[in-house]
Amino acid sequence: MTTHVPQGAGHLRTDETPPERPASQTDQSSPDAKFPGALVWADERVGAAKGLRFALKKVFPDHWSFLLGEIAMYSMIIALITGTFLTLWYVPSMGHVVYDGDYVPLKGVGMSEAYASTLDISFEVKGGLLIRQLHHWSALFFIVGIALHAARVFFTGAFRKPREINWLIGVVLSLLAIIEGFAGYSLPDDLLSGTGIRAMNGFMMSAPVIGTWMTFFVFGGEFPGEAIIPRLYIAHVLLIPAILVGLFVLHLALVVVHKHTQYPGPGRTNDNVVGFPIMPVYAAKAGGFFFVVFGITALVSALVQINGVWVYGPYDPTQVTAGSQPDFYMWFSDGALRLLPGWLEFTLFGTVWSFNIFLGSLVLLPLVWVVLGAYPFLEAWVTGDKREHHILQRPRNAPTRTAIGAAAISMYLVLALACVNDILAIKLGLSINDLTILFRTMFFVLPVLVFVVTKRLCLSLQRHDRERVLHGNETGRIVRTPEGRFFEAHEPLDEFERWALVDYDTPTPLGLTQGPDVDSRGVARRRGPLAGAQAAVSSFFYKDAVTAVTPAELAAAHHHGEHDALESPSIPQLGAPVNDSTGDDDFSEGHGSAVQAPTHHH
Amino acid sequence: MANPHHDDTAPAMRDDAAAPARSETFQNPGLPPHVPRRADGDPKAAKRAEIQVVVLFTLSALASIAFVVAYFVIDPDLKGYLLGIGEINLFHLAIGVTMGVSLLGIGLGAIHWAKTLMPDEEVVEQRHPQVSGDDDREAVAQTLSHGWRSSQLNRRSALLGSAGGALGLFALPIVLPVIAGLGPRPQGLYTTNWAEGTLLRIDPSGAAIRAGDVTQGSVFHVMPDGWVGHEAVEEHGAEEAMIAKAKDQVIVVRLDPSLIKSQKQREWGYEGIVAYSKVCTHVGCPVALYEQQTHHLLCPCHQSTFDMTDDCNVIFGPAKRALPQLPITVDGDGYIVAAGPFREPVGPSFWERERPGLMGVE
Ligand code: HEM
Ligand code: FES
């Protein structure tokens, strides 16, 4: 099947070479091309040329937001490399030793071998501290990268059909990433990380029915025991990385299968992908970006101290540092634990139900990831949309989704901030009680506010886009007509700029398009029991949508003062000059809108 | 329908009947004309770009060499002071910065090269719908059906049932020992090392406490006799010593007896001296912060606050239960000892807490 992109003033460079460019710079025929001798061996055995022929020509669209996933990928690679280095010295044992190393303040202190070996890495292995710092920073960048990447995918609708599976893989990857991070963070067995393990032990204990069994099996007995560090270690260096890498490879494979999405723009259709080929541009940019990410991680590791475990001392169950927080990605769970009130724990028939604990930990974590995983399917159900989507949506063009996402982020932030409520209370001079009550209220109120505000914002951005399409860009120039009227001169959009603003569609709410009993093809629809709910949610999603400008509206907008000209029977063809009835402006010149009459319909 | 998403005329996006007819929407104008970059037309600009890339790559190579030099030359313990950062290990700083520059030089060089000298005209690749054609589906259906029949599964249901059963169970011999071997059944949750007559010893010094030494407002963190410091590790092993710390830690304070609200609290104490478990009833952090003025005990983990004058009931935060009180008295020599064990489990809540029978404990 072939699809044509209509030719505008530009051209598609699929089979023509611009004359000003030397042949060697294009992907077209090079006179001196020769199949590399080194590859002949491989080609004769695995047919390498067949695969490479297409692989090297794969096209990747260019946009800054597509780099977020790359940050995650490269940071993971850096963590894999530096982590492997750490295993050479780290001793995953809770066996007791008396420290006798280079760090004077801890000399003679009893501690686990794990902690002692982490001190050795920091103080005795030359360059070991740098590797620890690289490892920890890359782990943080990995998780930040994943979060930003997932947000990009969410807010642009990139998870829609056919990419739901890859969304699910990404969701699992993000969960594994924070579990991996938590496990790694626990390995040094310092006071801070030990406190985290203590809390984890408490969460697990709170589980109804199986809590104590689960805890004893995971810890190999009573807390703390001597099993948890070796177990977290094997999870951290083998089990989780193996699954992470496996899923990640699958994730990338699916990107290749689906080809990358692209933002709406001239020449970009749902049936093509416009960008740079791997060879050489994308390879240079992406490969270069790996080194940039690595380089920045190295600079940060050199300059900003993270997790100086020697300051905290070894883990001791009777001690705790004030203001102890986990790494930032666990803040929301710790914050939830701070906000859940104690009365949520009660005894029923002699059994203990600690909702105050397991809601914020054992339930919250899986719940967040289940909701994330389910979202594409929920949205598809609501919208009734079964088409393939390869053109991304600008977040404003999906106002309800964008608002949902923003509301969810606000909930996350409330929980995360609650995790530092003690520090905030001191810094802001507030009582921690008041702050906690404030956070509890905000958890319910803020998402609603954020939802409403974000949705309004999206709709007004959409209207602004319509304004631009209909009346052009503001130039800030005020023009006076001979009759004494004032205009602000507007520059009309060219067709390329305009296309990026009108290439989206807004489905009509389900109940309305398809009628109650008949589908779009006039066939009687089977209505499931949830159809009513579906229609209601669908209308919630779309009822106040702002639709893209149509050519008819654009033509009408050129009729000054005739704001209801939409009803006019003539629907102009694009590109055909429109004869403006007032005759004082047309498509090719800037046209003004009267300052005195700013009310344009939209 | 093999290709639900097939439209020969672009922009082929809307095959939905609900979408507006095409004459009502704009047409995709196609790629905009290419705007040449400076280096495309001007050989001088191109040369400049080339030099910039070469400089970046050279910088990287130099930084790599500098790294090696720094690694061998700088004393690993050399400390220095850096504006805005404070005291810093100069060896760490030097190898980190040289490594960073070595990597950044390559990265920035490659990207600059791609942006200035490599073609910047976008190319177009066609997409095809993910869905396979009808003939593919038909072929798969044929193969599956053929496999099903030729393995005779359609006729011999005993095969199906027994194979399913065997496959369903084979993992058990592998999984069971792994899971069951992970840990012992829950135990020890109702007991601590405190018993009648156990001496309270200050952690970590190991000193016993005379009632007279406990002045109004003083705070002692104590452990049971035999479980303090290095001796505990030597006597019981590190693992037991750690478990004991996690469960047995107790905080002792002296209150003005008139402040104590509950009869039980007064009776279990000694002349206003009271002892409470230091393990938070939330998720088990040590409740380590005692505020003398308010007589509040605060847990730094999630800010559960316990009122010492009110039998350590929770007055704020996520914990539900009061801290368990350790009954104390004074022995013949005037030292504080436990008058008995804890009367309830210490630490976080758990399912069987109120019904030890569920765990096989009376
Ligand atoms: C890809 C995701 C990974 C993440 C998010 C991650 C995260 C972490 C974190 C946060 C720490 C604590 C570092 C500290 O401050 O001391 C840690 C420690 C550690 N990690 Fe990883 N890690 C990852 C992969 C790996 C891999 C693949 C290995 C080994 C093959 C590894 C080996 C180690 C070791 C041995 C430690 C303990 C040494 C120390 O703490 O100094 N890590 N990890
Ligand atoms: S552990 Fe004490 S408040 Fe959570």
Side-chain angles (χ1 to χ4, degrees):
Chain A
M1 126 180 179
T2 52
T3 326
H4 313 278
V5 176
Q7 302 280 302
H11 60 280
L12 300 179
R13 203 174 61 82
T14 34
D15 47 18
E16 51 177 302
T17 310
E20 75 272 24
R21 204 170 280 286
S24 65
Q25 280 199 0
T26 74
D27 53 355
Q28 300 302 301
S29 64
S30 293
D32 53 353
K34 192 169 153 290
F35 190 65
L39 285 178
V40 169
W41 191 90
D43 190 41
E44 283 172 1
R45 280 153 189 87
V46 295
K50 286 189 215 103
L52 284 177
R53 178 173 177 191
F54 296 100
L56 293 179
K57 278 188 157 180
K58 283 214 79 61
V59 166
F60 285 87
D62 216 16
H63 190 269
W64 64 266
S65 70
F66 300 157
L67 295 180
L68 299 171
E70 285 186 36
I71 295 181
M73 164 164 81
Y74 299 146
S75 302
M76 183 180 81
I77 295 171
I78 300 167
L80 289 172
I81 298 170
T82 51
T84 307
F85 272 88
L86 290 175
T87 60
L88 301 179
W89 305 287
Y90 173 77
V91 183
S93 156
M94 298 169 92
H96 184 83
V97 291
V98 175
Y99 182 67
D100 186 28
D102 279 3
Y103 185 63
V104 179
L106 288 176
K107 260 193 201 300
V109 173
M111 58 181 63
S112 67
E113 286 184 272
Y115 185 64
S117 65
T118 309
L119 293 178
D120 289 349
I121 294 175
S122 306
F123 294 109
E124 276 155 64
V125 177
K126 224 174 161 184
L129 180 60
L130 181 61
I131 296 178
R132 268 198 64 227
Q133 303 285 290
L134 277 168
H135 192 63
H136 206 129
W137 275 117
S138 62
L140 293 184
F141 292 159
F142 177 43
I143 291 167
V144 173
I146 289 186
L148 295 177
H149 169 62
R152 194 282 288 173
V153 170
F154 180 85
F155 286 112
T156 58
F159 56 77
R160 292 172 299 167
K161 187 179 173 185
R163 293 181 178 75
E164 302 97 323
I165 305 174
N166 230 10
W167 170 262
L168 285 179
I169 294 176
V171 166
V172 176
L173 276 171
S174 71
L175 179 60
L176 287 175
I178 68 161
I179 297 176
E180 173 75 353
F182 179 81
Y185 179 78
S186 302
L187 293 182
D189 204 19
D190 56 287
L191 187 54
L192 210 55
S193 70
T195 304
I197 298 184
R198 167 81 259 200
M200 178 178 103
N201 177 276
F203 304 158
M204 293 170 64
M205 284 276 258
S206 73
V209 188
I210 56 164
T212 49
W213 287 84
M214 183 162 72
T215 316
F216 271 67
F217 279 23
V218 168
F219 282 77
E222 273 190 90
F223 178 82
E226 294 198 332
I228 190 67
I229 293 275
R231 286 180 183 177
L232 285 173
Y233 177 71
I234 202 61
H236 183 75
V237 304
L238 181 72
L239 299 179
I240 304 176
I243 306 175
L244 265 179
V245 170
L247 284 179
F248 165 71
V249 168
L250 202 60
H251 197 69
L252 279 196
L254 280 179
V255 172
V256 171
V257 167
H258 291 140
K259 301 193 170 88
H260 209 292
T261 51
Q262 55 195 348
Y263 284 93
R268 283 129 176 94
T269 76
N270 210 31
D271 290 334
N272 72 9
V273 47
V274 182
F276 294 105
I278 288 201
M279 209 53 199
V281 182
Y282 185 75
K285 282 190 179 171
F289 192 55
F290 167 74
F291 284 94
V292 168
V293 171
F294 205 161
I296 290 176
T297 312
L299 286 184
V300 172
S301 302
L303 294 169
V304 191
Q305 169 76 54
I306 190 168
N307 206 18
V309 289
W310 51 90
V311 180
Y312 314 134
Y315 179 58
D316 178 336
T318 65
Q319 285 175 18
V320 63
T321 50
S324 56
Q325 267 84 28
D327 262 357
F328 80 90
Y329 42 86
M330 297 302 275
W331 281 14
F332 75 105
S333 178
D334 206 63
L337 282 176
R338 292 175 188 222
L339 295 189
L340 287 162
W343 52 260
L344 286 173
E345 176 174 316
F346 50 83
T347 306
L348 202 69
F349 305 119
T351 55
V352 178
W353 297 78
S354 301
F355 279 93
N356 56 336
I357 302 170
F358 64 71
L359 268 191
S361 51
L362 298 177
V363 175
L364 178 70
L365 274 127
L367 186 72
V368 168
W369 270 268
V370 166
V371 170
L372 274 176
Y375 187 83
F377 304 96
L378 293 178
E379 192 185 292
W381 175 73
V382 168
T383 58
D385 185 349
K386 298 194 171 56
R387 294 169 296 165
E388 276 190 23
H389 293 279
H390 302 289
I391 297 276
L392 295 171
Q393 287 168 304
R394 297 162 77 221
R396 68 185 61 173
N397 288 336
T400 308
R401 178 203 302 139
T402 303
I404 290 175
I409 291 177
S410 75
M411 277 171 121
Y412 174 88
L413 287 181
V414 171
L415 292 182
L417 277 183
C419 175
V420 287
N421 60 356
D422 46 341
I423 296 174
L424 284 177
I426 295 167
K427 289 259 154 75
L428 304 177
L430 292 169
S431 106
I432 198 156
N433 301 31
D434 294 346
L435 212 55
T436 302
I437 290 163
L438 179 72
F439 281 133
R440 282 179 184 156
T441 321
M442 294 241 285
F443 180 75
F444 295 102
V445 175
L446 196 64
V448 179
L449 279 180
V450 168
F451 180 90
V452 173
V453 170
T454 312
K455 184 148 182 190
R456 291 287 120 211
L457 199 70
C458 287
L459 293 177
S460 68
L461 284 172
Q462 282 190 300
R463 287 197 197 96
H464 178 72
D465 282 352
R466 283 183 58 93
E467 282 293 303
R468 280 181 62 205
V469 173
L470 290 174
H471 306 295
N473 287 327
E474 288 168 15
T475 58
R477 260 185 302 121
I478 305 292
V479 181
R480 187 173 185 271
T481 64
E483 301 87 54
R485 293 208 291 154
F486 287 94
F487 292 98
E488 181 180 1
H490 280 218
E491 202 79 64
L493 302 185
D494 63 34
E495 55 179 343
F496 304 112
E497 204 179 341
R498 182 205 304 140
W499 176 250
L501 299 183
V502 297
D503 182 23
Y504 72 93
D505 48 22
T506 305
T508 336
L510 279 181
L512 300 184
T513 44
Q514 296 169 334
D517 309 312
V518 178
D519 76 1
S520 52
R521 285 166 199 82
V523 182
R525 277 150 54 82
R526 270 179 289 130
R527 284 168 61 82
L530 289 176
Q534 190 182 11
V537 191
S538 177
S539 132
F540 169 74
F541 246 73
Y542 291 131
K543 63 175 190 300
D544 44 9
V546 174
T547 53
V549 176
T550 63
E553 287 173 313
L554 180 59
H558 286 269
H559 294 256
H560 276 305
E562 296 176 33
H563 295 309
D564 46 0
L566 244 187
E567 272 83 56
S568 90
S570 71
I571 294 175
Q573 289 304 114
L574 176 80
V578 176
N579 273 328
D580 201 297
S581 54
T582 55
D584 60 6
D585 67 340
D586 69 33
F587 261 113
S588 53
E589 289 172 13
H591 76 283
S593 54
V595 169
Q596 300 98 315
T599 45
H600 298 294
H601 69 94
H602 24 247
Chain B
M1 194 173 54
N3 283 349
H5 168 61
H6 183 108
D7 187 346
D8 260 347
T9 44
M13 268 162 271
R14 307 186 167 94
D15 54 344
D16 189 308
R22 193 145 42 70
S23 63
E24 290 170 21
T25 61
F26 286 99
Q27 301 257 328
N28 192 329
L31 287 183
H34 176 241
V35 185
R37 294 162 297 184
R38 197 106 64 71
D40 288 338
D42 173 4
K44 275 221 216 93
K47 190 71 203 166
R48 220 176 304 126
E50 185 187 346
I51 291 172
Q52 285 159 350
V53 174
V54 170
V55 165
L56 283 166
F57 286 157
T58 313
L59 194 66
S60 162
L62 292 177
S64 296
I65 294 167
F67 178 99
V68 176
V69 173
Y71 187 86
F72 287 111
V73 170
I74 300 181
D75 171 9
D77 293 325
L78 188 67
K79 295 269 189 319
Y81 192 85
L82 207 68
L83 210 69
I85 291 183
E87 200 189 52
I88 193 162
N89 179 317
L90 288 181
F91 171 78
H92 174 76
L93 181 73
I95 61 171
V97 169
T98 47
M99 178 193 262
V101 172
S102 141
L103 293 161
L104 276 175
I106 298 182
L108 295 176
I111 292 174
H112 192 55
W113 180 5
K115 287 204 155 172
T116 51
L117 294 169
M118 293 183 190
D120 75 330
E121 277 173 285
E122 293 181 307
V123 297
V124 179
E125 191 182 330
Q126 294 303 312
R127 288 180 195 278
H128 307 287
Q130 299 302 323
V131 68
S132 324
D134 281 343
D135 48 339
D136 292 324
R137 290 184 172 187
E138 177 60 24
V140 171
Q142 282 296 338
T143 312
L144 286 178
S145 155
H146 181 75
W148 182 254
R149 283 165 186 286
S150 53
S151 60
Q152 312 217 344
L153 283 170
N154 56 333
R155 293 193 284 133
R156 303 185 196 276
S157 55
L159 274 181
L160 188 62
S162 57
L167 283 174
L169 294 179
F170 92 99
L172 276 183
I174 302 166
V175 171
L176 180 69
V178 174
I179 303 279
L182 278 177
R185 52 178 304 161
Q187 56 199 294
L189 291 172
Y190 300 90
T191 52
T192 65
N193 291 308
W194 293 104
E196 189 178 343
T198 310
L199 204 56
L200 275 66
R201 286 197 184 274
I202 296 175
D203 185 36
S205 75
I209 314 165
R210 272 181 210 281
D213 297 343
V214 187
T215 53
Q216 199 92 231
S218 56
V219 188
F220 294 98
H221 299 268
V222 305
M223 286 288 290
D225 184 35
W227 291 96
V228 190
H230 285 304
E231 296 77 58
V233 176
E234 273 151 35
E235 206 176 315
H236 307 279
E239 181 168 9
E240 287 302 314
M242 282 295 253
I243 292 175
K245 278 190 171 193
K247 282 204 301 190
D248 300 346
Q249 49 182 314
V250 158
I251 188 163
V252 175
V253 299
R254 175 169 228 147
L255 299 169
D256 179 347
S258 66
L259 288 177
I260 297 180
K261 295 185 184 118
S262 101
Q263 185 64 20
K264 167 234 156 193
Q265 182 181 7
R266 206 169 297 136
E267 279 169 11
W268 287 19
Y270 179 80
E271 293 177 355
I273 305 174
V274 287
Y276 282 89
S277 165
K278 215 176 99 183
V279 191
C280 188
T281 55
H282 184 224
V283 294
C285 288
V287 188
L289 304 180
Y290 178 59
E291 243 195 286
Q292 310 226 345
Q293 274 82 35
T294 54
H295 308 291
H296 289 169
L297 258 180
L298 180 86
C299 177
C301 277
H302 314 101
Q303 283 78 46
S304 286
T305 311
F306 304 87
D307 185 355
M308 267 279 186
T309 64
D310 188 19
D311 205 13
C312 276
N313 274 313
V314 182
I315 52 167
F316 177 73
K320 164 72 184 271
R321 284 176 300 105
L323 295 170
Q325 187 178 7
L326 179 71
I328 52 170
T329 181
V330 166
D331 70 4
D333 302 324
Y335 289 106
I336 303 177
V337 294
F342 279 110
R343 306 289 161 83
E344 57 177 318
V346 299
S349 300
F350 54 97
W351 180 249
E352 306 91 334
R353 188 177 186 279
E354 317 290 328
R355 293 182 64 180
L358 289 174
M359 213 183 270
V361 180
E362 307 79 53

